[in-house]
Amino acid sequence: MTSDVAVPAPETAAANGHGDAHTTAGFGALTLGSIGVVYGDIGTSPLYAFREAVMAASGAEGVPTPAAVLGVLSLILWALIIVVTLKYIVILLRADNNGEGGTLALMALAQRAVGTGGATIVLLGIISGALFYGDAVITPALSVLSAIEGMKDVTLTFEPYIVPLTVVILVCLFAVQSRGTARVAAFFGPIMCVWFAVLAAAAIHPIIQQPQVLLALNPLYAVSFMLHHGIIGFITLGAVFLAVTGAEALYADLGHFGKRPIQTAWLSIVLPSLALNYLGQGALVLGDPGAIVSPFFQLFPQGFFRGSMVVLATMATVIASQAVITGAYSLTRQAIQLGLLPRFEIRHTSEAHSGQIFIPRINQLLLVAVVLLVLLFRSSSALASAYGISVTGTMVVTAMMGFVVIWKVWRWSPVAAAALIVPFLFLDLTFLAANLLKVFEGGWVPLALGALMILLMYTWRRGSRLLFDKSRKLEFPLADLVAMLEKRPPQRVPGTAVFLTSDPLSAPTALMHSLKHYKVLHEKNVILTIETAQTPRIDPAERVRLEQISPTFSKVTLKFGFMESPNVPKALAIARKLGWQFDIMSTSFFLSRRALKPAAHSGMPRWQDRLFISLSRSANDATDYFQIPSGRVVEVGTQVTI
């Protein structure tokens, strides 16, 4: 019964780019936590990014030349500086929605700024949200598979067990999601700190051996490589992008850790460690071109150290996977609240942190998709081709919505906003074009997943609007009904009746059916509407709006942020302070359960009608979603054609 028409909320300092979250929490603890959760994805890129980029740059010969190695290294290092440091760390972390980041938070902020003409913004949000699901499927498969492949460097006898062991680890990872991430998360930060320290330390000796690798710090090597390698350079760019995948995660997790801890962790630990490790891999290949087969693991001595590194890499990739899985849960909850997906069951895994949630249906779908990908592609090199498109697509959309926020919310002139964003957008579009060359090698996977999610989100949003409009035409105006009932009231029964509706101006279907079949009316009647704001959270003081419309009828509007899970009884307890005597034990909640049937002319094609109806049937029960005690609920069934 959520309304997908969000009510604008007051802008805060955070919305204007000046806020910072979690100022009371320990800065060091938040910085450590951000290293574990935020940088897991980008922190495991050295496992495969340099190898894939140099092999692409080597072309048909397969033997990397010094020019190719230095050119690729320069591209990777400057991609980290321009895309991650400047675009995300310096600019986009300031474009937060009341402290929350991520693609849908940015969409809500931009939509609020634009006002009524926000249909294009919503479409961009749907596209970027859909592409994130592609990322959430590919990241666990690619990361864990690339780590387990390190066992080949320890002993070749392990090769037949790589894919089965990867599947077992992934199944275990998804199986423990229902227990919540809080306990596991305590280990994430320290493990990733060890990971980044090892990345940096392992690179020092090769760099000393081949100091000419430091020439890659000169951006002219990147420019020269692109100018002299034609189509090979363009293909290589698609592989270079693997080094910056995970940049979206640091923006999406803004609300968990705050701006300054994320920035501090990147500039002081993550960026230096990544840069050193890529330089170390480059130095190793300059000295021995044959090392390109597995440059990351060959940084470590054969035997115990390399075996230990495989174990540490596996732990790091599981952490990287955990971050993106948790992101998929958060994105799904935001999409439900913003009216882009039907209600799914959401379980809270922590009493202290509302952001720690588990969505069983999303977990099952992700597990099936991830295991299928591993069995289909069977190697990290094959999967790497599928990886870049979803992330580059999300980055392009983020840059577009970032322009709107800088222009409308920060109140920059359009020219100044364009001057800031267009260079980044051009770079993102170049990366996207380079990745699109890999469509037939595996890039079709995220495109297919993204297209499916776009179709589902668009169908749900469009169908919900059509259903709302059709229901409104059939329903009786609430004000007229209340006037009639006050003038000639039916028999009264003790207690309070709460009627849930998404349209507070029309008489709820459940109320009309109750009058028709039971011929009675409760002593107190409440028309309850639940709204979703375009801000992540709502101040408890603004949660409840109470309006008395007659001696026995009142309207209550409950407002929740798109990052919050609606809890109706808890919110109604606030109404007591506003003068409404609410006792859950003498209150009945009336909900109308609609059975949908396709109409001859609904405004959507017949196949889309059927898809919307099947999505509606899969939606979680409103009683559970709004956390209403099931013993206090009366459901009234109605049949509606759409």
Side-chain angles (χ1 to χ4, degrees), residues 313-529:
T314 304
M315 294 169 74
T317 54
V318 166
I319 291 170
S321 304
Q322 177 65 58
V324 82
I325 293 166
T326 306
Y329 298 152
S330 297
L331 184 83
T332 302
R333 178 165 72 171
Q334 291 181 41
I336 292 168
Q337 289 287 71
L338 292 169
L340 301 176
L341 284 175
R343 291 186 301 260
F344 292 142
E345 180 190 357
I346 298 175
R347 297 182 195 166
H348 290 262
T349 58
S350 168
E351 292 182 9
H353 303 285
S354 63
Q356 292 182 12
I357 57 173
F358 170 66
I359 304 180
R361 197 171 303 173
I362 296 298
N363 195 61
Q364 292 163 8
L365 292 173
L366 284 178
L367 172 60
V368 170
V370 168
V371 170
L372 281 175
L373 273 189
V374 172
L375 297 176
L376 185 65
F377 287 89
R378 306 190 71 83
S379 79
S380 61
S381 289
L383 258 174
S385 299
Y387 196 20
I389 292 178
S390 57
V391 188
T392 46
T394 305
M395 285 187 172
V396 167
V397 175
T398 301
M400 290 178 177
M401 292 193 293
F403 166 75
V404 175
V405 170
I406 292 167
W407 172 28
K408 293 285 189 180
V409 181
W410 295 3
R411 307 196 185 285
W412 286 32
S413 73
V415 175
L420 182 65
I421 286 294
V422 165
F424 297 112
L425 183 59
F426 174 76
L427 193 60
D428 291 338
L429 287 168
T430 307
F431 274 128
L432 178 60
N435 276 285
L436 286 172
L437 295 173
K438 300 186 288 189
V439 166
F440 297 108
E441 298 172 42
W444 59 270
V445 172
L447 287 178
L449 280 168
L452 177 62
M453 289 307 302
I454 289 168
L455 177 65
L456 292 177
M457 287 181 177
Y458 174 75
T459 299
W460 181 255
R461 186 176 174 84
R462 177 82 178 128
S464 299
R465 283 285 171 87
L466 288 170
L467 184 60
F468 180 83
D469 292 341
K470 183 165 284 191
S471 300
R472 190 167 214 175
K473 288 176 185 174
L474 298 172
E475 287 171 353
F476 198 76
L478 178 64
D480 295 351
L481 179 68
V482 170
M484 287 168 54
L485 291 173
E486 292 295 353
K487 187 181 281 187
R488 291 194 299 275
Q491 185 177 343
R492 300 277 186 176
V493 292
T496 302
V498 177
F499 298 93
L500 265 74
T501 179
S502 57
D503 180 11
L505 299 178
S506 303
T509 308
L511 172 59
M512 299 299 286
H513 279 255
S514 177
L515 288 168
K516 179 180 176 183
H517 295 292
Y518 304 133
K519 310 284 194 299
V520 294
L521 194 64
H522 283 73
E523 287 175 340
K524 294 179 181 175
N525 299 274
V526 177
I527 309 302
L528 178 63
T529 308

Side-chain angles (χ1 to χ4, degrees), residues 37 45 88 97 113 137 180 215 219 235 239 276 408 417 437 457 471 595 614:
V37 175
S45 296
Y88 282 93
N97 189 345
V137 168
L215 292 170
I235 293 169
L276 274 173
K408 293 285 189 180
L437 295 173
M457 287 181 177
S471 300
S614 63

